[in-house]
Every structure is written in C-alpha cells, then in structure tokens.
Amino acid sequence: MIDLAALAELAGRHESDLAAPVAPLQLGSRSIDTDERPVLMGVVNLSRDSSYRDSIAVSTASAVRKGRVQAAAGADIVDVGAESTRATAARADLAAQRALLTPVIEQLTAEGIAVSVEAYQEPVARAGLKAGACLLNLTGSDDDDRMFTLAAEHDATVVLCHVLGPNARALTGDVVDPDPVPAMLDTFGRRIDRARALGVPSLAIDPGLGFGFHLDDQRARARHQATALLHTFRLRRLGVPICHALPHAFDIFEDQYRSGEGFFAVLAHLGGTGIYRTHEVPLVRSVLDALRSFSTEPPTLPAADE
C-alpha cells in the first residue's frame, strides 16, 4: 500500500537525489524548467493497431484536428507516431510511415504547435525532423550514433527510452528487475554522454513503462509501474528531465480506464517527473494543477481573542 510512512522511508533512503537539479527542456526556441512547471506531451497515433483507441487518427485531417485539440487543452508538445509498439501490431514499412507522418507534422508545426516524432528507425526519424519536429522520441538504442547525429543536425531534443531490447518492436523478453534504477543509471549515463559528444542540444530520459516488458500478470505490471514512478527521483542525478508515458492499467480501472492516467500522474509527480506523455491531456493537466496548488503546510490558525 502507498502511504505516508512508505513515502517518507523511500525519500529518506535516497535523500541526496531528491533535490538534484535537472537541465531545462528545449522545445524549439522555448526553454522550460520542468521543476517549475511540468511539460505535457499529447499523443496522436497514426497506426490503427495502437492500444489506446481514443488516440488513433484515421486520416491526416483527423490527426491534425487531434493535435490542435490537445494543444488547446494544454499540451506543450504533441507526440506523433506511425507504428504501434504492441507486440501483435503489424509492421509498418518505412515509406508508409514517412507518408503518414510528414503531412501531419508539417501542418501542425505550420500552426505553431511543437511536435515530437516517435521513431526507432533513422529514415523515419529523418522524415519527422525534416518536416519540422523539434523532438525525437527515440524508442530504440541500436542505432544511437546515427540518431544522435541526425538530431544534432536538426537542433532537436532527444528523449532516450529504456527498452529491454534493441528497439520497441524487438524486445528480448528479459525478466524485469525489481529495482531497475541502477541499470538505468548506467545505461542512460553512457547514452547521455555519447549524445552530448555528438552535439545533441537537449536530452530527457524515459524509463519505458509504456513498453511491453515481460510481466504477463497485468496487476503485477501495474504494481511495477507504480513503484517505478515513485522511484523516478533516483534518476535525477543524471541531470536531465524525466519523461513518463503514463500507464492506464485497464485490468485495474476497467471501464474507468480513462481515469487511470490521472492516478498515475499523481505518483509520477511525487516521484519528480518533469514530462508527462498522456492520452488524457485535460485530465492530467487538471491533476497536476491541483497538486501544485495545494500546500502541505499546516493551516494558519486565527489568533485567540485577548
């Protein structure tokens, strides 16, 4: 159970990480201190295989409309992808992905909406960045040097995703470590150093809770995700903002699954997350606004009458 005693024990055990500073996030010409205010990343899926049906766009016009709505609802950036990361999803060839992504990104950026392209293949990333995306949501690690060089050429920010395999569509099936943070610190640390050496101007990291890691029991999966969200602050020592794709835990929330991301946003906030990738932008925005508005200080009592 999540309670104050458990949270206090966690914070005390890793106290030095709590206040570790992280660099601002660059979104084009904007620099955002994610500790001062969270960054919301909306989601538009151009693949019909995506698990979150509400995010699927069936045409370019549909995708542009969804991006506009998310930006109006408070999304700082809209993440656009053309291939689902689900293990059972159909593979989308490179030409098809480029054809889907390019007009959507061009139209959204022409309207002043910041766009992220989700990709693990260099030709797809190149098409997205050329079309105007200012952020590469990198869902693989097997082609880092080319991806980092490409991002540097376009002065684009990169989100490094932790994936148990070379990319999101080629998972190894490794058993999930109950405490994945030490391995992430090592892997992310080396990738951050390499990205900076190749000229990437701004970075963030994503612990990869939205990917198909090997936990078949869906409640066990949700418990792992919840724990990882609360432990997020332990990654702050890397000095870059932390991005989480918020879970929705259908097996727990069932017909109320659209509220799941709001619940997990609370845990992510407590864990020091800076960037929230969400299908439910208005809900998560409201939850984060509430968390930042409510003080934990005890109320000031009126002075007793003389």
Side-chain angles (χ1 to χ4, degrees):
M1 177 181 290
I2 299 169
D3 56 28
L4 286 176
L7 294 175
E9 191 278 332
L10 172 62
R13 195 167 4 121
H14 304 283
E15 185 175 2
S16 62
D17 293 323
L18 277 173
V22 297
L25 181 75
Q26 297 297 132
L27 293 181
S29 61
R30 300 168 64 200
S31 178
I32 303 174
D33 182 342
T34 58
D35 283 337
E36 288 295 320
R37 76 167 189 86
V39 167
L40 291 180
M41 179 186 286
V43 183
V44 174
N45 286 313
L46 304 178
S47 166
R48 294 179 183 244
D49 290 326
S50 296
S51 59
Y52 210 92
R53 307 303 293 173
D54 308 81
S55 69
I56 294 174
V58 297
S59 66
T60 297
S62 170
V64 171
R65 175 179 57 79
K66 287 178 180 291
R68 288 174 181 150
V69 169
Q70 291 179 5
D76 297 284
I77 189 164
V78 176
D79 191 47
V80 182
E83 183 183 68
S84 171
T85 58
R86 293 175 65 189
T88 57
R91 292 278 185 170
D93 67 54
L94 299 180
Q97 290 188 62
R98 294 196 298 265
L100 287 169
L101 288 166
T102 298
V104 174
I105 296 173
E106 287 178 342
Q107 290 187 48
L108 289 175
T109 55
E111 296 180 19
I113 297 172
V115 177
S116 161
V117 59
E118 181 184 320
Y120 60 87
Q121 297 159 304
E122 191 268 350
V124 178
R126 182 176 296 279
L129 294 174
K130 183 178 179 181
C134 64
L135 186 148
L136 170 59
N137 188 9
L138 182 53
T139 55
S141 59
D142 57 341
D143 202 9
D144 272 358
D145 277 14
R146 285 208 301 165
M147 291 295 209
F148 296 159
T149 300
L150 177 63
E153 289 172 358
H154 289 270
D155 201 29
T157 293
V158 176
V159 175
L160 303 172
C161 294
H162 176 70
V163 182
L164 295 178
N167 61 67
R169 295 305 308 274
L171 302 179
T172 60
D174 289 350
V175 175
V176 175
D177 190 328
D179 182 9
V181 171
M184 286 187 195
L185 287 169
D186 177 60
T187 302
F188 277 139
R190 286 186 281 105
R191 295 180 74 197
I192 288 169
D193 288 345
R194 184 59 178 164
R196 286 175 172 158
L198 291 175
V200 176
S202 176
L203 292 151
I205 55 175
D206 179 347
L209 299 185
F211 298 123
F213 49 82
H214 184 63
L215 275 176
D216 294 330
D217 181 329
Q218 292 303 304
R219 283 186 171 266
R221 177 186 177 88
R223 284 194 296 272
H224 174 78
Q225 290 169 319
T227 300
L229 288 168
L230 290 170
H231 282 250
T232 291
F233 71 95
R234 295 170 57 197
L235 296 169
R236 289 176 62 94
R237 70 178 73 174
L238 294 170
V240 299
I242 300 158
C243 173
H244 273 300
L246 295 175
H248 46 273
F250 180 83
D251 283 59
I252 293 175
F253 288 90
E254 298 189 35
D255 57 330
Q256 298 300 313
Y257 75 94
R258 294 193 65 167
S259 66
E261 293 189 10
F263 168 78
F264 285 109
V266 174
L267 304 188
H269 167 81
L270 293 174
T273 298
I275 307 162
Y276 299 74
R277 184 180 185 272
T278 177
H279 304 86
E280 302 291 342
V281 172
L283 170 65
V284 171
R285 184 204 65 207
S286 298
V287 168
L288 294 176
D289 283 349
L291 286 167
R292 296 179 71 82
S293 298
F294 300 154
S295 172
T296 57
E297 295 296 323
T300 300
L301 300 177
D305 292 336
E306 294 293 338

